Structures are given as C-alpha cells and as structure tokens.
Amino acid sequence: MFDTALTFNDLLFMLKGAGVTLSVTAFAVVGGTLLGVFFGVLRSQISPWAALPLTFVLDIFRSVPLLIQLILANAFQAIAGWGISPFVTSCIVLALYTSAYCTEIVRGAIEAVPSVTRRAARSLGMTWGQDLTQIVFPMALRVGLPSWIGLTLGVMKDSALVMWLGIIELLRASQILVTRLQEPMFILLVTGAIYFALSFPIARLGSRLEKRWQEND
Amino acid sequence: MIEIENVHKSFGALQVLKGIDLTVQRGEVVSVIGGSGSGKSTLLTCINGLEPIDKGRIVVDGTEVHARDTDLNKLRRKIGIVFQQFNAFPHLTVLENVTLAPRKVKGMGRKDAEEIAVQQLSHVGLADKLNVYPSRLSGGQQQRMAIARALAMSPDYILFDEVTSALDPQLVGEVLDTLKLLADEGMTMICVTHEMSFARDVSDRVAFFHKGVMAEIGAPDQIFGDPQQEETRQFLSSVR
Amino acid sequence: MGNYTFQWRQAFRAFPEMLEGALVTLQISILSMLIGVTIAVLLAVGRDAKSRWLRAPATAWVEVARNTPALFQIYMAHFGLGSFGIYLSPYAALLAGIAFNNAGYLCETFRGAMRAIPGTQLRAGRSLGMGQAKAFRLIILPQMFRISFLPTTNQMIWAILMTSLGVTVGLNSDLAGVTQDLNARSFRTFEFFALAAVIYYVIAKAVMLGARLLAARLFRY
C-alpha cells in the first residue's frame, strides 16, 4: 500500500510507547482525581478565605507550563537525593497537575447544586453528611463528569511532555523512528491515528453523556 | 388596513392555521383569544413576514407580505411586534435598545433617535431608567421597554403576542395599562391575549381561535355575553 | 538536601536575558492568537456550511486540534512538513502549531457562543426591520463577543504555556529556550527553571488580570 520502511517491529515499538502514555495517564488521573475530589469538597465547604492558601498553590500548577513543572520536579528530586525514577516523578507531577484542574471541576459542580435543593434536603431531616452524599454528590456528578472526561483526555495529551525526562512514550517513540527512518509525515500520521484512537471514543462517550443528561433535565 | 385571506400554515405535518380570514381596519383594536396551540401566535408572526405561509395571502396597506418582490425590512418598519419573551437586547442600555433600530434601520441621527426614544420611554413610564441595562429591570419594565422599542419606529400597526404571559401576576397590570393607553390614542393593534377582561374592555372586536380556525368573531359584548359557538362557550367557561 | 547549595545569584544575573525571552514568548502567543481567531471564524463558518467540501476539512481540523497533543501538532509543523520539502524554523513551527491548536479550540468556543444566544434575539432584530446581516452584526455579534471573551482569554493563557514546548524543537529565543540554554551552560537547572516558572506565572496572571479589567469595562450589562 505505502512504500515505507516502517516494519512490524517498529509499529510494536510505537504501541509500547502508547502503553507508557496510557499508564502515565492512568496513574495521574487516578491520583489526581482522588486528590481533586478531596480538595474540591474541602474548598466548597470552607470559607474562601480559609481556602486561599490551597487555592493559591493549586493555581500555580495551572499557571506554569507543565514542561517546566516536570523539569523542576526532576531537578529537585535529584538535588534532594531521593533517587526517584523519572517515571514516578512524572506520575507525581502529572497527578498534582490533574488534581489542580479536578479541584476546580469538583468545586464548580458542587456549587452548581442549588442551595434551595440542599435546604430542602436539610428540612427533611437529613444531616450535613446525608445531604452531601445523597443529594449533592449525585447531582454534582452529572455536572462534573463531562468536564472530568475532558480533563482525562487533556492529561493524556499533556503526558507527551514526560519525554523530556527521557521516558519513551508514544510521541518520543515516533520521534525516534522519524530520526531513524526519515519518513516524518507517515510516522507522525500513524502516531496521530493512535492518539486519535485512544481519545476519540472517550470524547464521544463524554459528549453523549452530556447530551443525554441535558435531555433529562 | 391588514387583510388576511384564507391563510394556511403548517409546521411539518402539524397544521397550525387552516384558512384564516380577517380584516383589520386602521384604528381598530382586535383581540385574539383561544386555547394554546390554536394558532393565534403563529398568525402574528406571519403578518410581519417572520414566518412564511403555505397558502392564501396577507396584504398590509396594499402590499402583499409574502410576495417575492416585497421588501420585508421596509414593511416591518410599519408593523411593530412585541413578543411574549421580552427579547431585550442584553448588551445595550434601555435607551440604546430603543434607539438602535431608528438609527440603524431608519438611519436617524443619534440626537433625533434619542429624542424619540426618551419620548416613547416616558410614555411607557421608564423615563428614569434610560441608562440602565435590561438585566436590572423587572419583567414588566422589560416588556414596557420592548413596547417602547417597537413604538420608536413609529409603526402604523402593532402586534402583541401574549405580552403578559411571561410576567408575574403583580406586573401584568402595568403592561396592560400601557396597552390601554395606546388603544385610547387610536393605535391599530392586534393583541393575542389570555387576559379576558382586557380583551373585553379594550377591543373593538374579539376573535376566538380554535384548532387553527377562527371559530367566531364579534364585538366584545357579543362574544363574552352571547357566544354563538359551542367551542367559544366551552373556552370561556374554562378560563373564568 | 545533601551537599547541594542553591546559587540564586547566578540565576538573578541572567534575569534580563530571561525577560527578553519572555518578550518572545508573549510575541508568539499574541501572533498565534491573532492567526488562531481568524482561522477559527472561518472554521466555524465552514463547520456549519451546507457544502460537504467545506464541512469535512473544517471538522477534521477541529478534531485533530482537540484530540492530539499540542506537541504533536508542533512536531507535524516542524518534522512532518519536511516530507513535502517544507522546512519551518523552530520559531515558525511553534507558531504554526499553536495557531493550529488555538483555531481548533476557538472554533468550538465561537460556535458555542452562537448557540447560546436565543434565536428570538435575531427575530426581535428582524421584526424591527433589520436585514439578516444587520441583525447579526448589531444584535448577535456583540453578545457572542461577551460570551466568548473569557474562554478566549483562557486560550491565550494556554497559548502562553504552550510556547514552552518550543524548546523541544530547538527554539532557544523564548523564555523556556533561553532558560534551557543557560541551564546547558551552568547545570543550575533548578534555579534557572524556578525563576522561569515565576516569570511564566506572573505573565499568566497579568494577562488574566488585564482581561478581567477589560471585561469589567466592556461588559457592564
């Protein structure tokens, strides 16, 4: 079909890179979501002034380029002599980065629940905790889930930057092949197709959920 | 004069107007009543050409609205319409809302347009809200602004499409008072309305629409006192 | 901290050099936004066009921009175009990649803004005797501008953060590139990049603050 020097083994090499992309993403999203839910609930329940230090720190993760964050974290762990592998460093940085965005999503979703609804729940005799788990969380989940899916996709794309720490993920793998085979366009198209295959179904699912839930409102 | 002859209109398979005939003379106030889905609002949007019609014709002062060579933008200057949703332009102040069309459609200078706008806004009791944005107004005030906006084009006819339906009950009165004022001044008006006392007190004639047909038309005393059709009787007893 | 001693003085001495890099960063961001907004408008028109030949490429652009990494898009401009004998400098490749990305995201922002305005607004304009184009320009466009202002500002911040990717294709004149150069000469990685992070942060916050102030002035309704 195509006249290319790309062998099956090379393709396997790329898919292995895609596996690294996925695992970095998975660690980051799971860790980031746990942290983000915790921070988000905290932020929505305490006064904005009390939350200021947390807000400030999380905002840094959203206002400094991820690449710089990765470089800084890696340099810092080397200085501290912790001997953490680049892979673990990457996962930690990406998880913190994810948590910063996730916190905003969770907070926004919780605040989207009308206070009259919550008052109604409390007037029925529900406790603060019941109100949160029975009323607020289920309602907030609907509001927040589409954004959370968007965040997951975003993290997967941003995870390409971990290559700077020497990790061979999908994009780095393809770059290695580009250098060796000198067929940049073809190899990058394959790379793009793999990224697309990873993210498009999730994106579709997200927009479908959003549409379905809007119809039910 | 507005002449409506045998007008048919469907949305897909749904027939909304099934042959409407109605003539409205200059200076006349006609109220249109009827249940929801009876086609009364659709008729209004057809009169100023916002909706095409399938059959029949609508002639305003000798100009056929849906004729191919009719300049609708020009025609619409003489037919104002006020909607149920106020459709305030949120990005403009009250004064700017009212001056926009005179300036940009009629090409009036800012000063002249503002003079007219202030006059019309005073007319509807909003002289003290000129530089306020619509979001700061109550529903009744927004609706009165919309009326002033239509009046500022000095139209010959005004169509009112359930202008009080979206209002809180305590705000209905102020808008109806404005309509009464216009009627007393001799404005030609077609009012689609659910306010029966308004229809009875203000109109010269009342038309009852039922399932896309004008079932009955007559003087308010006759329609409300001695309805000829069974549907009219049923409708009136249901709204009382 | 072992036996490492932080040497901040060296980093501070390089501050003017890094500020010059920050100017290049800003320049690339602004240019990429200007190009991005222009293309986004065309894409938005294209995506809702009747002709499939307009719709398909516009949709493809938007989907690729939104579903692949920004770095991938920059690689495409830098390495990929080489297959057609087009060799872009790191600066041009970075600008092209970010502009491509901006256009894809902004196109959806603009379309969303258009949909957020009730159709009755256009109708109200038409009922006052305005033509389609006039009603769009006077009624819809100003409201669209307001709705899309904040998302567009956010995209601008994204563009600023994305410029740091230039260093991966060998750009050495922007903030990240300058910092990397300094780093390569001195190996004071942490100090230099920490300073760079502060500069990025300040730029991002300044742009956000500026946009907020502007919005407060522009949109009083």
Side-chain angles (χ1 to χ4, degrees):
Chain A
M1 184 174 71
F2 281 102
D3 186 26
T4 174
L6 191 79
T7 64
F8 183 71
N9 271 338
D10 293 336
L11 195 63
L12 224 53
F13 179 62
M14 289 175 83
L15 288 178
K16 225 180 255 171
V20 174
T21 292
L22 275 182
S23 54
V24 173
T25 306
F27 281 121
V29 168
V30 169
T33 304
L34 290 176
L35 273 176
V37 169
F38 177 71
F39 291 151
V41 171
L42 193 67
R43 269 200 62 181
S44 69
Q45 300 302 314
I46 61 180
S47 79
W49 284 107
L52 206 61
L54 178 66
T55 311
F56 176 75
V57 171
L58 290 179
D59 185 54
I60 292 175
F61 287 99
R62 301 189 298 146
S63 306
V64 171
L66 180 59
L67 187 64
I68 309 282
Q69 295 180 36
L70 286 164
I71 294 171
L72 276 176
N74 198 43
F76 187 80
Q77 70 83 26
I79 292 170
W82 289 343
I84 306 174
S85 74
F87 183 83
V88 174
T89 307
S90 300
C91 287
I92 293 173
V93 171
L94 269 170
L96 286 170
Y97 174 79
T98 309
S99 79
Y101 286 94
C102 192
T103 302
E104 288 306 308
I105 294 173
V106 171
R107 185 185 60 93
I110 288 177
E111 280 170 7
V113 178
S115 59
V116 285
T117 313
R118 304 191 57 177
R119 212 175 302 150
R122 296 303 291 273
S123 78
L124 291 170
M126 289 189 184
T127 64
W128 180 82
Q130 282 173 324
D131 166 46
L132 219 52
T133 53
Q134 304 295 315
I135 308 294
V136 176
F137 285 163
M139 286 178 80
L141 188 65
R142 290 185 155 217
V143 179
L145 195 68
S147 316
W148 182 83
I149 288 178
L151 174 61
T152 301
L153 293 172
V155 172
M156 183 166 79
K157 289 178 280 172
D158 291 339
S159 74
L161 303 188
V162 305
M163 70 160 75
W164 193 259
L165 303 189
I167 297 171
I168 301 178
E169 43 63 71
L170 175 56
L171 194 57
R172 176 72 187 135
S174 66
Q175 199 198 354
I176 290 169
L177 291 177
V178 165
T179 313
R180 184 156 59 79
L181 303 175
Q182 292 299 319
E183 294 177 38
M185 192 43 120
F186 178 71
I187 293 168
L188 282 173
L189 279 178
V190 174
T191 310
I194 298 175
Y195 269 116
F196 219 82
L198 296 179
S199 75
F200 195 67
I202 309 178
R204 261 296 149 85
L205 181 73
S207 61
R208 192 170 299 173
L209 271 180
E210 197 170 3
K211 206 171 274 176
R212 159 123 33 112
W213 284 351
Q214 268 171 6
E215 278 166 9
N216 287 347
D217 281 339
Chain B
M1 191 165 65
I2 300 177
E3 299 157 275
I4 300 165
E5 291 170 21
N6 192 29
V7 165
H8 286 72
K9 165 82 190 166
S10 328
F11 291 110
L14 182 70
Q15 258 199 304
V16 190
L17 298 175
K18 304 171 189 165
I20 303 293
D21 290 284
L22 174 66
T23 301
V24 178
Q25 302 291 343
R26 279 276 175 121
E28 202 180 14
V29 176
V30 175
S31 286
V32 182
I33 60 173
S36 56
S38 59
K40 30 189 217 313
S41 294
T42 306
L43 184 67
L44 293 193
T45 44
C46 290
I47 291 175
N48 81 344
L50 283 170
E51 288 286 352
I53 58 176
D54 303 331
K55 210 173 132 185
R57 57 188 208 133
I58 299 175
V59 180
V60 176
D61 292 342
T63 310
E64 190 176 339
V65 177
H66 296 89
R68 197 168 281 240
D69 55 351
T70 299
D71 182 350
L72 275 176
N73 293 334
K74 207 169 158 195
L75 184 75
R76 284 184 190 133
R77 293 182 201 178
K78 64 159 79 175
I79 314 171
I81 186 165
V82 181
F83 301 96
Q84 180 179 346
Q85 277 77 29
F86 331 120
N87 291 324
F89 302 137
H91 59 298
L92 303 175
T93 63
V94 168
L95 187 64
E96 287 165 347
N97 257 275
V98 179
T99 51
L100 183 71
R103 288 180 59 203
K104 302 293 178 177
V105 176
K106 280 191 165 173
M108 242 181 232
R110 176 189 286 270
K111 252 189 136 179
D112 294 341
E114 283 184 352
E115 199 173 308
I116 292 176
V118 170
Q119 190 188 329
Q120 295 300 351
L121 283 165
S122 319
H123 206 152
V124 299
L126 288 175
D128 56 335
K129 302 284 184 195
L130 299 183
N131 295 312
V132 169
Y133 284 95
S135 55
R136 299 250 178 268
L137 298 181
S138 72
Q141 290 169 329
Q142 288 195 40
Q143 192 58 294
R144 284 187 279 144
M145 183 199 80
I147 294 171
R149 191 169 72 186
L151 285 173
M153 294 295 282
S154 33
D156 297 326
Y157 309 93
I158 302 198
L159 316 174
F160 292 98
D161 184 6
E162 300 189 22
V163 288
T164 58
S165 297
L167 293 177
D168 292 335
Q170 71 270 23
L171 300 177
V172 169
E174 60 186 75
V175 174
L176 290 184
D177 287 343
T178 307
L179 296 196
K180 267 179 206 152
L181 187 69
L182 291 180
D184 291 342
E185 289 167 358
M187 174 62 76
T188 313
M189 299 164 36
I190 303 181
C191 310
V192 168
T193 183
H194 290 299
E195 300 291 333
M196 293 306 145
S197 57
F198 169 81
R200 183 205 288 255
D201 297 345
V202 177
S203 344
D204 298 308
R205 283 189 296 160
V206 176
F208 171 65
F209 272 45
H210 183 67
K211 291 186 175 162
V213 176
M214 192 166 74
E216 192 168 353
I217 185 164
D221 290 344
Q222 181 255 306
I223 295 286
F224 289 102
D226 179 25
Q228 301 298 304
Q229 303 290 330
E230 180 55 34
E231 289 90 357
T232 318
R233 266 193 288 276
Q234 269 175 11
F235 174 75
L236 289 174
S237 64
S238 74
V239 294
R240 266 181 199 146
Chain C
M1 281 310 122
N3 42 20
Y4 188 90
T5 38
F6 288 101
Q7 296 198 356
W8 293 101
R9 187 165 299 172
Q10 203 179 352
F12 286 132
R13 226 176 304 149
F15 192 61
E17 209 175 324
M18 290 170 79
L19 275 190
E20 269 174 50
L23 280 182
V24 175
T25 288
L26 262 182
Q27 184 189 39
I28 298 173
S29 320
I30 293 170
L31 282 176
S32 78
M33 282 302 282
L34 292 177
I35 302 170
V37 167
T38 311
I39 297 175
V41 171
L42 298 176
L43 288 177
V45 173
R47 283 208 74 176
D48 293 322
K50 286 209 176 75
S51 153
R52 167 188 301 199
W53 298 105
L54 285 175
R55 238 173 27 227
T59 305
W61 184 314
V62 171
E63 293 295 351
V64 172
R66 287 156 49 100
N67 286 303
T68 61
L71 187 53
F72 169 82
Q73 292 156 29
I74 294 163
Y75 272 20
M76 269 293 194
H78 192 248
F79 303 112
L81 292 180
S83 287
F84 305 118
I86 303 169
Y87 296 98
L88 295 184
S89 68
Y91 183 99
L94 180 67
L95 179 58
I98 299 177
F100 178 89
N101 188 281
N102 286 345
Y105 278 94
L106 289 172
C107 166
E108 293 306 276
T109 299
F110 295 160
R111 278 178 11 124
M114 186 122 102
R115 272 192 298 251
I117 299 163
T120 50
Q121 285 280 319
L122 195 65
R123 223 162 211 245
R126 298 300 302 274
S127 80
L128 291 168
M130 297 178 196
Q132 188 88 17
K134 195 173 260 183
F136 185 83
R137 186 163 54 80
L138 294 172
I139 313 287
I140 307 295
L141 214 54
Q143 297 186 55
M144 268 181 73
F145 182 62
R146 182 195 176 150
I147 298 172
S148 42
F149 188 80
L150 200 62
T152 306
T153 307
N154 284 333
Q155 187 65 36
M156 171 71 186
I157 301 211
W158 271 112
I160 293 169
L161 301 186
M162 276 191 279
T163 56
S164 68
L165 302 180
V167 71
T168 64
V169 288
L171 183 67
N172 59 8
S173 57
D174 76 316
L175 180 50
V178 167
T179 311
Q180 173 61 13
D181 261 12
L182 291 163
N183 173 43
R185 275 184 263 145
S186 69
F187 297 105
R188 290 281 157 189
T189 311
F190 190 83
E191 289 90 330
F192 282 121
F193 277 99
L195 192 54
V198 171
I199 298 175
Y200 274 113
Y201 181 83
V202 170
I203 295 176
K205 288 295 125 182
V207 168
M208 195 37 124
L209 189 69
R212 289 253 165 87
L213 290 177
L214 192 62
R217 277 201 72 94
L218 284 175
F219 314 119
R220 283 177 301 138
Y221 57 95

